[in-house]
Amino acid sequence: MSIGKNIFNTILSQISVQFLGILSGIFIARLIGPEGKGVFAIYQANAQLLVTFFSLSFGYALTYFIPSGKIRSNKMLGISILITLIGSICIVFAILFFNYTVFKDFLFPIKYSGLLYISWIFFYSVFQIINTIATGFFQGLKEFGVINKVSIINSIINVLFFSTVFILDKYNYCEINVLDLLYGLLLLTLLNTIQFIIPYLKKINIKPSFNISMSNDIKPILNFTLYTHLGIFVSFFNSRLSLWILNFYLNEVAIGLFSLASNLIVVFSLISAPIGNVLMPFLSSEDGKKKKEIFYKYSRLNFSTVFIIAIIGFFLSSTMIPLLYGEEFSSASLLFQILIPGILFASISRLLAVYIGANNKQLYNLYATLIGSFVNIVLNCLLIKHFGLIGASIASSITYISICLAMMYYVHFKLGLTFGNYFFINLQEIKYMKSNFNNFLKKL
């Protein structure tokens, strides 16, 4: 299937997934309120921190090495299994370290801690590592249809689960707390893992090989993933830093409001993420000139679409957020509006990072994210202390902008990408898209 069709199908599935994800978020927010939402966000952030660090960003490596043919798929699967096992062991030690040191109060809300919370972090993190690597494996094989199907089914299950729990709680059939929802999320994550296993056994069924060479297999992967992993980890740290500092200076209610505004950013990723995920394996197998042409074409599509969504979101957020999530979340609309300029730049960064990765120059992505991390730490420490939630939003927005500007410098002055229009689609592309859309409608 062509790049365009894969992107189109993936975007359609992501629209469904994100819409269903927003519905799930509405039920969760109305069920546990701002404080509960803050606790829920903190524990998810803690687990994702472990997943991001101990998965070694191997899912990203799979999207490069499998389509390029530099390492056989069965060896990549064997290495994936080893990374999952080693990562799981490391997670145990990391949880124990954080729980029995001065970092405990920084990462775990005082009123919401204990053995059940710690156990949840371990199991949720392990399943998430498996799902992340499985996604990367299917992307490397260009099986985007499987990924889209799994994403949609999982989103439907999530909505059904959280809506059912909401109804049961509302009509006093049972009383649901944050811990109950966390373990419900763990069950849903396990179901997500099973959904990857079934199509793998039916469609792929590659046997893992552990005949792995340190020089021919491990070393090239480490050379590729080292800078990628550090960049992704720092990027994740940037996105979660505000939550931890808010937890230090303010309270769970503030975290709940900011996490809601931040989570609404997924509306923008329903365009950038599918385009980036599909482009990576295709760009990795193309030469320099063709690579540049593909990048410019889909970068224009990406930014133009995100720009339109941003304008709509800016004007509708003050009405839609309290309407959907409740009046107690109304102040999150201003936070969301402050984040929008940064998100526009983040949508550009997403594809710039893919272009840099496809050129096997991950060090530049790392440099850009480190620059953003420095800006993020300084601004969060200064602005949250004096301006609270508004300061957190301003800090995040400026951080996204600084990362994008740094990436622009590297792709143009280090990778030799010529300056051109990768912001707005032109008239010819609009006519082409309109023609394809009309043909699509005729086939329905």
Side-chain angles (χ1 to χ4, degrees), residues 126-149:
V126 171
F127 285 132
Q128 282 291 70
I129 287 180
I130 295 172
N131 293 340
T132 299
I133 291 177
T135 301
F137 197 82
F138 280 103
Q139 284 178 345
L141 295 172
K142 300 179 182 178
E143 294 286 348
F144 299 105
V146 173
I147 300 172
N148 295 338
K149 184 177 180 181

PDB file of all heavy atoms in Angstrom, residues 126-149:
ATOM      1  N   VAL A 126       5.214  -3.061  32.601  1.00  0.00           N
ATOM      2  CA  VAL A 126       5.647  -4.228  31.816  1.00  0.00           C
ATOM      3  C   VAL A 126       4.747  -4.425  30.597  1.00  0.00           C
ATOM      4  O   VAL A 126       5.227  -4.628  29.468  1.00  0.00           O
ATOM      5  CB  VAL A 126       5.651  -5.501  32.689  1.00  0.00           C
ATOM      6  CG1 VAL A 126       5.892  -6.743  31.823  1.00  0.00           C
ATOM      7  CG2 VAL A 126       6.725  -5.395  33.765  1.00  0.00           C
ATOM      8  N   PHE A 127       3.446  -4.362  30.796  1.00  0.00           N
ATOM      9  CA  PHE A 127       2.517  -4.537  29.663  1.00  0.00           C
ATOM     10  C   PHE A 127       2.690  -3.413  28.636  1.00  0.00           C
ATOM     11  O   PHE A 127       2.584  -3.645  27.429  1.00  0.00           O
ATOM     12  CB  PHE A 127       1.071  -4.585  30.146  1.00  0.00           C
ATOM     13  CG  PHE A 127       0.706  -5.875  30.811  1.00  0.00           C
ATOM     14  CD1 PHE A 127       0.050  -5.894  32.036  1.00  0.00           C
ATOM     15  CD2 PHE A 127       1.009  -7.098  30.220  1.00  0.00           C
ATOM     16  CE1 PHE A 127      -0.286  -7.075  32.651  1.00  0.00           C
ATOM     17  CE2 PHE A 127       0.676  -8.292  30.831  1.00  0.00           C
ATOM     18  CZ  PHE A 127       0.033  -8.289  32.052  1.00  0.00           C
ATOM     19  N   GLN A 128       2.967  -2.222  29.109  1.00  0.00           N
ATOM     20  CA  GLN A 128       3.162  -1.097  28.189  1.00  0.00           C
ATOM     21  C   GLN A 128       4.441  -1.258  27.368  1.00  0.00           C
ATOM     22  O   GLN A 128       4.487  -0.881  26.191  1.00  0.00           O
ATOM     23  CB  GLN A 128       3.196   0.221  28.955  1.00  0.00           C
ATOM     24  CG  GLN A 128       1.821   0.735  29.373  1.00  0.00           C
ATOM     25  CD  GLN A 128       0.985   1.181  28.186  1.00  0.00           C
ATOM     26  OE1 GLN A 128       0.534   0.384  27.367  1.00  0.00           O
ATOM     27  NE2 GLN A 128       0.783   2.475  28.065  1.00  0.00           N
ATOM     28  N   ILE A 129       5.497  -1.810  27.976  1.00  0.00           N
ATOM     29  CA  ILE A 129       6.724  -2.083  27.220  1.00  0.00           C
ATOM     30  C   ILE A 129       6.434  -3.081  26.104  1.00  0.00           C
ATOM     31  O   ILE A 129       6.868  -2.911  24.956  1.00  0.00           O
ATOM     32  CB  ILE A 129       7.833  -2.623  28.149  1.00  0.00           C
ATOM     33  CG1 ILE A 129       8.369  -1.503  29.017  1.00  0.00           C
ATOM     34  CG2 ILE A 129       8.971  -3.245  27.328  1.00  0.00           C
ATOM     35  CD1 ILE A 129       9.464  -1.937  29.978  1.00  0.00           C
ATOM     36  N   ILE A 130       5.690  -4.142  26.437  1.00  0.00           N
ATOM     37  CA  ILE A 130       5.333  -5.150  25.431  1.00  0.00           C
ATOM     38  C   ILE A 130       4.534  -4.507  24.293  1.00  0.00           C
ATOM     39  O   ILE A 130       4.805  -4.749  23.112  1.00  0.00           O
ATOM     40  CB  ILE A 130       4.526  -6.291  26.080  1.00  0.00           C
ATOM     41  CG1 ILE A 130       5.392  -7.041  27.096  1.00  0.00           C
ATOM     42  CG2 ILE A 130       4.002  -7.259  25.009  1.00  0.00           C
ATOM     43  CD1 ILE A 130       4.627  -8.057  27.926  1.00  0.00           C
ATOM     44  N   ASN A 131       3.563  -3.687  24.641  1.00  0.00           N
ATOM     45  CA  ASN A 131       2.723  -3.052  23.620  1.00  0.00           C
ATOM     46  C   ASN A 131       3.511  -2.073  22.751  1.00  0.00           C
ATOM     47  O   ASN A 131       3.281  -1.975  21.542  1.00  0.00           O
ATOM     48  CB  ASN A 131       1.546  -2.322  24.288  1.00  0.00           C
ATOM     49  CG  ASN A 131       0.572  -3.278  24.942  1.00  0.00           C
ATOM     50  OD1 ASN A 131       0.545  -4.460  24.620  1.00  0.00           O
ATOM     51  ND2 ASN A 131      -0.224  -2.792  25.872  1.00  0.00           N
ATOM     52  N   THR A 132       4.437  -1.346  23.381  1.00  0.00           N
ATOM     53  CA  THR A 132       5.264  -0.397  22.624  1.00  0.00           C
ATOM     54  C   THR A 132       6.139  -1.120  21.615  1.00  0.00           C
ATOM     55  O   THR A 132       6.246  -0.711  20.447  1.00  0.00           O
ATOM     56  CB  THR A 132       6.149   0.417  23.595  1.00  0.00           C
ATOM     57  OG1 THR A 132       5.308   1.150  24.493  1.00  0.00           O
ATOM     58  CG2 THR A 132       7.031   1.384  22.837  1.00  0.00           C
ATOM     59  N   ILE A 133       6.770  -2.206  22.044  1.00  0.00           N
ATOM     60  CA  ILE A 133       7.633  -2.970  21.144  1.00  0.00           C
ATOM     61  C   ILE A 133       6.813  -3.661  20.064  1.00  0.00           C
ATOM     62  O   ILE A 133       7.212  -3.710  18.894  1.00  0.00           O
ATOM     63  CB  ILE A 133       8.468  -3.988  21.948  1.00  0.00           C
ATOM     64  CG1 ILE A 133       9.501  -3.236  22.802  1.00  0.00           C
ATOM     65  CG2 ILE A 133       9.157  -4.993  21.031  1.00  0.00           C
ATOM     66  CD1 ILE A 133      10.345  -4.124  23.689  1.00  0.00           C
ATOM     67  N   ALA A 134       5.633  -4.178  20.431  1.00  0.00           N
ATOM     68  CA  ALA A 134       4.757  -4.828  19.438  1.00  0.00           C
ATOM     69  C   ALA A 134       4.329  -3.834  18.368  1.00  0.00           C
ATOM     70  O   ALA A 134       4.327  -4.160  17.169  1.00  0.00           O
ATOM     71  CB  ALA A 134       3.530  -5.415  20.130  1.00  0.00           C
ATOM     72  N   THR A 135       3.996  -2.625  18.771  1.00  0.00           N
ATOM     73  CA  THR A 135       3.622  -1.581  17.806  1.00  0.00           C
ATOM     74  C   THR A 135       4.771  -1.284  16.853  1.00  0.00           C
ATOM     75  O   THR A 135       4.584  -1.195  15.633  1.00  0.00           O
ATOM     76  CB  THR A 135       3.201  -0.295  18.535  1.00  0.00           C
ATOM     77  OG1 THR A 135       2.091  -0.567  19.394  1.00  0.00           O
ATOM     78  CG2 THR A 135       2.806   0.790  17.541  1.00  0.00           C
ATOM     79  N   GLY A 136       5.980  -1.152  17.396  1.00  0.00           N
ATOM     80  CA  GLY A 136       7.148  -0.897  16.566  1.00  0.00           C
ATOM     81  C   GLY A 136       7.423  -2.038  15.598  1.00  0.00           C
ATOM     82  O   GLY A 136       7.822  -1.807  14.443  1.00  0.00           O
ATOM     83  N   PHE A 137       7.200  -3.273  16.036  1.00  0.00           N
ATOM     84  CA  PHE A 137       7.441  -4.442  15.180  1.00  0.00           C
ATOM     85  C   PHE A 137       6.481  -4.438  13.989  1.00  0.00           C
ATOM     86  O   PHE A 137       6.896  -4.638  12.839  1.00  0.00           O
ATOM     87  CB  PHE A 137       7.258  -5.725  15.994  1.00  0.00           C
ATOM     88  CG  PHE A 137       7.862  -6.945  15.350  1.00  0.00           C
ATOM     89  CD1 PHE A 137       9.208  -7.215  15.485  1.00  0.00           C
ATOM     90  CD2 PHE A 137       7.078  -7.814  14.609  1.00  0.00           C
ATOM     91  CE1 PHE A 137       9.777  -8.339  14.892  1.00  0.00           C
ATOM     92  CE2 PHE A 137       7.623  -8.929  14.012  1.00  0.00           C
ATOM     93  CZ  PHE A 137       8.984  -9.197  14.149  1.00  0.00           C
ATOM     94  N   PHE A 138       5.203  -4.194  14.244  1.00  0.00           N
ATOM     95  CA  PHE A 138       4.221  -4.155  13.154  1.00  0.00           C
ATOM     96  C   PHE A 138       4.457  -2.951  12.238  1.00  0.00           C
ATOM     97  O   PHE A 138       4.254  -3.041  11.019  1.00  0.00           O
ATOM     98  CB  PHE A 138       2.804  -4.124  13.711  1.00  0.00           C
ATOM     99  CG  PHE A 138       2.288  -5.475  14.129  1.00  0.00           C
ATOM    100  CD1 PHE A 138       2.226  -5.839  15.466  1.00  0.00           C
ATOM    101  CD2 PHE A 138       1.866  -6.390  13.181  1.00  0.00           C
ATOM    102  CE1 PHE A 138       1.763  -7.088  15.853  1.00  0.00           C
ATOM    103  CE2 PHE A 138       1.390  -7.639  13.548  1.00  0.00           C
ATOM    104  CZ  PHE A 138       1.349  -7.988  14.891  1.00  0.00           C
ATOM    105  N   GLN A 139       4.903  -1.823  12.813  1.00  0.00           N
ATOM    106  CA  GLN A 139       5.228  -0.668  11.977  1.00  0.00           C
ATOM    107  C   GLN A 139       6.418  -0.981  11.072  1.00  0.00           C
ATOM    108  O   GLN A 139       6.432  -0.601   9.897  1.00  0.00           O
ATOM    109  CB  GLN A 139       5.560   0.541  12.854  1.00  0.00           C
ATOM    110  CG  GLN A 139       4.341   1.202  13.466  1.00  0.00           C
ATOM    111  CD  GLN A 139       4.713   2.367  14.369  1.00  0.00           C
ATOM    112  OE1 GLN A 139       5.868   2.528  14.760  1.00  0.00           O
ATOM    113  NE2 GLN A 139       3.726   3.178  14.720  1.00  0.00           N
ATOM    114  N   GLY A 140       7.425  -1.670  11.617  1.00  0.00           N
ATOM    115  CA  GLY A 140       8.581  -2.042  10.822  1.00  0.00           C
ATOM    116  C   GLY A 140       8.222  -2.934   9.653  1.00  0.00           C
ATOM    117  O   GLY A 140       8.828  -2.856   8.581  1.00  0.00           O
ATOM    118  N   LEU A 141       7.230  -3.791   9.858  1.00  0.00           N
ATOM    119  CA  LEU A 141       6.750  -4.668   8.788  1.00  0.00           C
ATOM    120  C   LEU A 141       5.740  -3.966   7.885  1.00  0.00           C
ATOM    121  O   LEU A 141       5.211  -4.575   6.953  1.00  0.00           O
ATOM    122  CB  LEU A 141       6.106  -5.923   9.393  1.00  0.00           C
ATOM    123  CG  LEU A 141       7.049  -6.862  10.171  1.00  0.00           C
ATOM    124  CD1 LEU A 141       6.248  -7.954  10.881  1.00  0.00           C
ATOM    125  CD2 LEU A 141       8.081  -7.484   9.244  1.00  0.00           C
ATOM    126  N   LYS A 142       5.441  -2.694   8.179  1.00  0.00           N
ATOM    127  CA  LYS A 142       4.477  -1.878   7.439  1.00  0.00           C
ATOM    128  C   LYS A 142       3.066  -2.461   7.485  1.00  0.00           C
ATOM    129  O   LYS A 142       2.270  -2.299   6.570  1.00  0.00           O
ATOM    130  CB  LYS A 142       4.926  -1.680   5.980  1.00  0.00           C
ATOM    131  CG  LYS A 142       6.276  -0.983   5.854  1.00  0.00           C
ATOM    132  CD  LYS A 142       6.716  -0.818   4.412  1.00  0.00           C
ATOM    133  CE  LYS A 142       8.090  -0.153   4.338  1.00  0.00           C
ATOM    134  NZ  LYS A 142       8.583  -0.025   2.953  1.00  0.00           N
ATOM    135  N   GLU A 143       2.774  -3.139   8.594  1.00  0.00           N
ATOM    136  CA  GLU A 143       1.437  -3.698   8.833  1.00  0.00           C
ATOM    137  C   GLU A 143       0.596  -2.679   9.592  1.00  0.00           C
ATOM    138  O   GLU A 143       0.143  -2.917  10.718  1.00  0.00           O
ATOM    139  CB  GLU A 143       1.548  -5.011   9.612  1.00  0.00           C
ATOM    140  CG  GLU A 143       2.215  -6.145   8.868  1.00  0.00           C
ATOM    141  CD  GLU A 143       1.309  -6.733   7.773  1.00  0.00           C
ATOM    142  OE1 GLU A 143       0.103  -6.408   7.769  1.00  0.00           O
ATOM    143  OE2 GLU A 143       1.809  -7.516   6.952  1.00  0.00           O
ATOM    144  N   PHE A 144       0.366  -1.538   8.964  1.00  0.00           N
ATOM    145  CA  PHE A 144      -0.358  -0.453   9.639  1.00  0.00           C
ATOM    146  C   PHE A 144      -1.834  -0.810   9.849  1.00  0.00           C
ATOM    147  O   PHE A 144      -2.475  -0.306  10.772  1.00  0.00           O
ATOM    148  CB  PHE A 144      -0.233   0.841   8.841  1.00  0.00           C
ATOM    149  CG  PHE A 144       1.187   1.306   8.693  1.00  0.00           C
ATOM    150  CD1 PHE A 144       1.870   1.154   7.493  1.00  0.00           C
ATOM    151  CD2 PHE A 144       1.841   1.880   9.760  1.00  0.00           C
ATOM    152  CE1 PHE A 144       3.177   1.576   7.357  1.00  0.00           C
ATOM    153  CE2 PHE A 144       3.157   2.311   9.642  1.00  0.00           C
ATOM    154  CZ  PHE A 144       3.828   2.151   8.439  1.00  0.00           C
ATOM    155  N   GLY A 145      -2.356  -1.676   8.994  1.00  0.00           N
ATOM    156  CA  GLY A 145      -3.743  -2.101   9.150  1.00  0.00           C
ATOM    157  C   GLY A 145      -3.974  -2.806  10.471  1.00  0.00           C
ATOM    158  O   GLY A 145      -5.005  -2.616  11.126  1.00  0.00           O
ATOM    159  N   VAL A 146      -3.007  -3.643  10.872  1.00  0.00           N
ATOM    160  CA  VAL A 146      -3.118  -4.350  12.156  1.00  0.00           C
ATOM    161  C   VAL A 146      -3.099  -3.357  13.308  1.00  0.00           C
ATOM    162  O   VAL A 146      -3.914  -3.438  14.237  1.00  0.00           O
ATOM    163  CB  VAL A 146      -1.964  -5.368  12.305  1.00  0.00           C
ATOM    164  CG1 VAL A 146      -1.977  -5.983  13.706  1.00  0.00           C
ATOM    165  CG2 VAL A 146      -2.079  -6.457  11.251  1.00  0.00           C
ATOM    166  N   ILE A 147      -2.161  -2.407  13.258  1.00  0.00           N
ATOM    167  CA  ILE A 147      -2.050  -1.404  14.325  1.00  0.00           C
ATOM    168  C   ILE A 147      -3.331  -0.583  14.427  1.00  0.00           C
ATOM    169  O   ILE A 147      -3.843  -0.331  15.527  1.00  0.00           O
ATOM    170  CB  ILE A 147      -0.846  -0.482  14.067  1.00  0.00           C
ATOM    171  CG1 ILE A 147       0.447  -1.288  14.036  1.00  0.00           C
ATOM    172  CG2 ILE A 147      -0.761   0.602  15.138  1.00  0.00           C
ATOM    173  CD1 ILE A 147       1.659  -0.504  13.594  1.00  0.00           C
ATOM    174  N   ASN A 148      -3.864  -0.171  13.291  1.00  0.00           N
ATOM    175  CA  ASN A 148      -5.096   0.630  13.296  1.00  0.00           C
ATOM    176  C   ASN A 148      -6.264  -0.148  13.875  1.00  0.00           C
ATOM    177  O   ASN A 148      -7.058   0.383  14.667  1.00  0.00           O
ATOM    178  CB  ASN A 148      -5.428   1.077  11.870  1.00  0.00           C
ATOM    179  CG  ASN A 148      -4.387   2.033  11.301  1.00  0.00           C
ATOM    180  OD1 ASN A 148      -3.654   2.671  12.049  1.00  0.00           O
ATOM    181  ND2 ASN A 148      -4.318   2.121   9.992  1.00  0.00           N
ATOM    182  N   LYS A 149      -6.366  -1.425  13.493  1.00  0.00           N
ATOM    183  CA  LYS A 149      -7.468  -2.264  13.984  1.00  0.00           C
ATOM    184  C   LYS A 149      -7.372  -2.455  15.496  1.00  0.00           C
ATOM    185  O   LYS A 149      -8.373  -2.332  16.221  1.00  0.00           O
ATOM    186  CB  LYS A 149      -7.443  -3.617  13.275  1.00  0.00           C
ATOM    187  CG  LYS A 149      -8.598  -4.531  13.650  1.00  0.00           C
ATOM    188  CD  LYS A 149      -8.545  -5.827  12.858  1.00  0.00           C
ATOM    189  CE  LYS A 149      -9.699  -6.745  13.231  1.00  0.00           C
ATOM    190  NZ  LYS A 149      -9.640  -8.028  12.467  1.00  0.00           N
TER     191      LYS A 149
END
